[in-house]
Amino acid sequence: MTDLSELHAALAGVLIAERPLDDVLNEVVGLARKALPGAESVSSTLLRGDTAFTAAHDGQMALDADEMQYERGYGPCMDAGRAGQVFVIEDMSTEERWPDYARAAAAAGIGSSLSLPLPVQGRSVGALNCYSSRPRAFGEEDVVIGQEVAAFVAIAVANADAHARSAQDAENMRRAMASRAVIEQAKGVLVERHRITPEQAFTLLTHSSQNANVKLREVAEELVATGVLRGAAG
């Protein structure tokens, strides 16, 4: 499958919503392997800060080649993701930009590779990596097709990240509301017990939190649960 219209149709049929990211990426790298004539194995590298990892792969060759690069901290897949550039290794046995990696890859039977960045809002979040046992397996057509797939992978990654952020934001909101509720309960306990104002009750809680070096929420939870205010006399 090398026709771009066929590739677009195949990618359009990939369901992104309500699916784990690794499931989506495994399906997409499988499509990439079929779409790229020279590709015998394909993977997707994701970057999280200084950490690079293979999120999906189709074929053991890609996983092995990726791991060789992670071990060294450099290589075309990592540099494509970091620099946002396309890197083609035409012949692994004569490659000089990453000599140590290239020697190891050639010894493992890898003849050539194509690494393309995953572009998201002006930055790259990783790379799509294509490998072949043959030298010079990737040409200009492969770069064009690979960029189409890489763009789709980037969309899937961005969608998953946005969903994760939304879920985390919702959880943070829930925790904040729960903390606020228990603090209000604890203030009510102190107001009734000592016949003081809510502001004075809050001051007692904050002093207890500071003296015990624990979070205000934990002091409040303990007071509500046990009736005991940390550090209080008697």
Side-chain angles (χ1 to χ4, degrees):
M1 180 177 63
T2 58
D3 187 276
L4 280 181
S5 61
E6 291 182 25
L7 175 61
H8 291 158
L11 292 174
V14 177
L15 180 65
I16 294 180
E18 307 301 328
R19 288 181 66 191
L21 179 60
D22 56 348
D23 284 356
V24 175
L25 296 187
N26 274 309
E27 182 175 353
V28 174
V29 297
L31 291 175
R33 184 177 181 181
K34 294 176 183 177
L36 290 158
E40 296 175 31
S41 189
V42 178
S43 66
S44 177
T45 293
L46 295 186
L47 299 173
R48 292 291 186 266
D50 294 331
T51 302
F53 63 96
T54 299
H57 69 282
D58 188 335
Q60 188 64 35
M61 181 190 296
L63 184 61
D64 292 344
D66 289 352
E67 291 294 339
M68 290 179 195
Q69 296 170 69
Y70 304 153
E71 290 172 4
R72 290 164 172 78
Y74 71 88
C77 82
M78 299 179 71
D79 289 352
R82 290 168 175 164
Q85 296 181 11
V86 175
F87 290 110
V88 179
I89 296 181
E90 293 188 349
D91 190 339
M92 201 68 72
S93 66
T94 59
E95 175 58 45
E96 297 181 351
R97 288 170 294 182
W98 305 277
D100 181 59
Y101 157 70
R103 282 194 299 270
I110 302 171
S112 56
S113 69
L114 167 64
S115 298
L116 308 110
L118 306 179
V120 176
Q121 296 179 344
R123 64 187 180 91
S124 175
V125 296
L128 180 72
N129 315 302
C130 311
Y131 300 94
S132 174
S133 61
R134 297 181 295 107
R136 290 171 288 280
F138 304 103
E140 292 182 5
E141 180 185 5
D142 299 280
V143 172
V144 172
I145 294 172
Q147 287 175 326
E148 294 287 329
V149 178
F152 187 90
V153 171
I155 291 171
V157 172
N159 182 77
D161 286 348
H163 184 271
R165 284 194 298 271
S166 295
Q168 187 60 52
D169 288 345
E171 176 62 16
N172 290 342
M173 178 80 70
R174 186 195 66 77
R175 290 179 179 175
M177 292 176 67
S179 294
R180 189 177 306 159
V182 75
I183 290 170
E184 289 300 317
Q185 285 180 285
K187 284 166 60 179
V189 170
L190 294 177
V191 166
E192 183 176 355
R193 178 182 298 175
H194 300 295
R195 298 291 186 260
I196 57 179
T197 67
E199 291 76 15
Q200 291 171 323
F202 186 72
T203 298
L204 287 177
L205 288 172
T206 56
H207 286 171
S208 175
S209 170
Q210 292 166 0
N211 292 337
N213 197 28
V214 296
K215 293 180 179 178
L216 181 62
R217 172 180 51 79
E218 294 178 16
V219 170
E221 287 174 346
E222 183 176 345
L223 175 60
V224 170
T226 67
V228 175
L229 178 64
R230 290 198 190 196

